């Protein structure tokens, strides 16, 4: 359980991600700020919001174990400025904890998270999943700064397959939804639970790829399952992950998209090609 | 939005699933009972518990739209007897609702659910996903009554591939985690949101298949994404679904398993082979 408790205060020289996801104790609650550095179209990038909420759990003194499964529901756009977070330990057993965080702004709950933490124990393990093929990070070409939204500039996207090429009109025939890319903070930062959670929301909406154009869309609910524990992440000591995203059902007013991140192959001191996270997604358009 | 409000009271001739998932209003809360008909080893089958909680949302007068994504966390075994449910509308927007249900027994919260409901609007849709091949339901052989747990007898499992064959000792080499089977209530019952949610927990733990033996395990957190709305389900008017389950990562003290249910091909009056749900899963052993 190394590094399970992130710092609660950061200074000006801190990494932009740590500044953006900082929480401070205020009157029995926790306060965060919708970071301009990670702003999207109508609110802060959902990944940064989710990471802020997860940090609010991990700074609790009684927090034990590592995150296993996190569901964040983004109910309404988070407005510029500060927000308050309430943190509740719903249930603790000998080996698991169930947490809930609510993000409050003037007009009520704008987002909430439920999270299962567990003290992982040695057990049988087995991983038929293989890491997708990819050239090394340095050999993949960075996506030029698209300038679309502030948060996009906080990440380096190095596509290996399925790079975005969005136009003004939709394709006549739906294209593939599959993408594979290296992903890193623009200013490299060691991968931890907070950045993995944020990265799990960085995959451009699959509908953009399939339709070939940007449509109004927002993440409504996102579940991320963690396969690595803190010791794994510390041992891997990496700043980049290989991500793959796909989708196979786009239905009325919603699209579901599985996506996953794998560790960079060949870097880990532990057995490489470990999968860090996987998740499905439910995005609502409109 | 046909059938979106299940009945709150049932009589003795009601289907066992409706009896098991019944809720009644008691002093501002809702009360359910851990059904003996759906009991598992140390508590009621998680799918029945989840369906009871979803029913408690759907009987709320202000509930609008159809379930889109449901996450249920099973924190502790539910004991025999009754339990109380508190239902809270966390946030409503013009087109979406975010609900939370907590299941309370003597010693606190034993389970909770968060659910996104949405009024689905006509939109572009696209489904590269194909339904797995399978012979018709009637041609697939039913799994003999295993007698393992009461809840198993409430379902007809007709395996097409990857039928269970559990022994007393684990395999030397891990076997495939993949299964495909027809699934129906033993007493046929028209598929609705409640039964789909319950069915999404019926897939035998993938680790049983891979190791070839039953190990202590329980569902801790389960997210189900619905691709069909109530009108789709009413139009399909079916009592059986084809399910497929797989897993590709089993890691310390947790296994993640994607699983999905598809409509029976050739039965629907609407375009057949519609996918009803998909979900990942996080099961903890021990």
């Amino acid at each position: 359980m190394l590094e399970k408790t992130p710092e609660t205060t950061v200074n000006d020289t801190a990494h932009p991600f740590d500044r953006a996801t900082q929480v401070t104790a205020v009157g029995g609650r926790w306060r965060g700020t919708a970071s301009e550095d990670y702003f999207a179209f109508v609110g802060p990038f959902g990944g940064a919001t989710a990471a802020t909420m997860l940090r609010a759990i991990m700074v609790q003194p009684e927090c034990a174990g590592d995150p296993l499964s996190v569901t964040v529901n983004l109910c309404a756009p988070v407005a510029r400025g500060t927000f308050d977070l309430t943190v509740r330990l719903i249930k603790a057993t000998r080996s698991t904890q169930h947490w809930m965080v609510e993000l409050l702004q003037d007009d009520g709950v704008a987002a909430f998270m439920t999270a299962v933490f567990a003290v992982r124990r040695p057990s049988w393990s087995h991983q038929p999943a293989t890491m997708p093929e990819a050239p090394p990070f340095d050999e993949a070409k960075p996506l030029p700064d698209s300038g679309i939204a502030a948060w996009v500039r906080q990440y380096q996207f190095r596509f290996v397959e399925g790079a975005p090429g969005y136009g003004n009109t939709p394709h006549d025939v739906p294209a593939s939804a599959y993408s594979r890319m290296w992903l890193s903070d623009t200013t490299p930062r060691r991968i931890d639970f907070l950045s993995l959670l944020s990265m799990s929301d960085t995959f451009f909406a699959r509908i953009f790829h399939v339709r070939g154009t940007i449509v109004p869309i927002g993440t409504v609910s996102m579940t991320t399952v963690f396969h690595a524990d803190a010791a794994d992440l510390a041992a891997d000591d990496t700043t980049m992950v290989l991500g793959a995203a796909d989708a196979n059902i786009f239905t009325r007013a919603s699209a579901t998209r599985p996506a996953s991140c794998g560790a960079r192959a060949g870097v880990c001191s532990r057995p490489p090609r470990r999968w860090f996270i996987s998740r499905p997604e439910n995005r609502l358009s409109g």
Side-chain angles (χ1 to χ4, degrees), chain A:
Chain A
M1 293 193 288
L2 301 167
E3 310 184 272
K4 79 174 189 62
T5 306
E7 293 295 325
T8 57
T9 55
V10 295
N11 56 37
D12 289 345
T13 60
H15 190 280
F17 181 75
D18 291 301
R19 284 206 306 271
T21 60
Q22 183 180 4
V23 295
T24 51
V26 177
R29 290 182 172 183
W30 294 85
R31 184 157 294 166
T33 304
S35 168
E36 296 290 337
D37 290 344
Y38 284 79
F39 229 69
F41 299 111
V42 291
F45 166 55
T49 303
T52 309
M53 297 167 85
L54 184 60
R55 190 189 289 273
I57 295 172
M58 295 180 74
V59 298
Q60 302 302 313
E62 64 270 49
C63 181
D66 297 318
L68 204 71
S69 182
V70 172
T71 296
V72 59
N73 283 27
L74 302 161
C75 313
V78 175
R80 282 192 154 75
T82 62
F83 49 78
D84 283 354
L85 300 170
T86 60
V87 182
R88 174 185 166 207
L89 179 56
I90 294 179
K91 176 79 175 182
T93 67
R94 191 166 45 89
S95 57
T96 60
Q97 293 184 334
H98 292 264
W99 293 88
M100 182 167 187
V101 181
E102 297 183 39
L103 188 155
L104 306 164
Q105 275 187 334
D106 295 343
D107 56 349
V109 178
F112 61 92
M113 168 180 291
T114 61
V116 185
F117 277 65
V119 177
R120 292 190 191 255
R121 287 171 295 187
S123 76
W124 180 79
S125 63
H126 175 50
Q127 184 184 300
T130 54
M131 182 176 174
E133 291 296 318
F137 179 87
D138 292 335
E139 291 176 19
K141 201 172 127 193
L143 189 69
D145 175 8
S146 64
I148 293 175
W151 77 266
V152 176
R153 290 192 290 272
Q154 300 294 340
Y155 288 99
Q156 279 189 55
F157 296 94
R158 297 184 177 221
F159 279 85
V160 174
E161 185 179 341
Y166 311 139
N168 292 324
T169 52
H171 294 317
D172 291 332
V173 177
S176 167
Y178 185 77
S179 284
R180 193 160 74 245
M181 85 278 190
W182 285 109
L183 183 63
S184 161
D185 292 287
T186 297
T187 304
R189 178 183 180 281
R190 191 160 78 172
I191 300 291
D192 60 13
F193 294 121
L194 301 181
S195 63
L196 283 174
L197 183 61
S198 182
M199 284 173 169
S200 72
D201 198 35
T202 57
F203 298 96
F204 301 143
R206 293 302 98 191
I207 196 171
F208 300 173
H209 289 250
V210 171
R211 304 211 70 188
T213 193
I214 292 177
V215 296
I217 205 165
T219 302
V220 172
S221 183
M222 176 173 84
T223 296
T224 299
V225 177
F226 292 88
H227 304 303
D229 65 15
D232 295 330
L233 297 178
D236 269 347
D237 190 17
T238 184
T239 60
M240 60 199 75
V241 291
L242 184 69
D246 202 356
N248 53 22
I249 300 178
F250 299 88
T251 188
R252 274 172 296 161
S254 87
T256 298
R257 173 188 81 169
S260 46
C261 287
R264 185 174 67 156
V267 159
C268 325
S269 55
R270 298 169 56 82
R273 297 172 183 257
R274 167 179 281 283
W275 285 78
F276 281 172
I277 60 170
S278 61
R279 69 164 180 75
E281 190 193 64
N282 202 14
R283 287 202 173 193
L284 279 182
S285 60

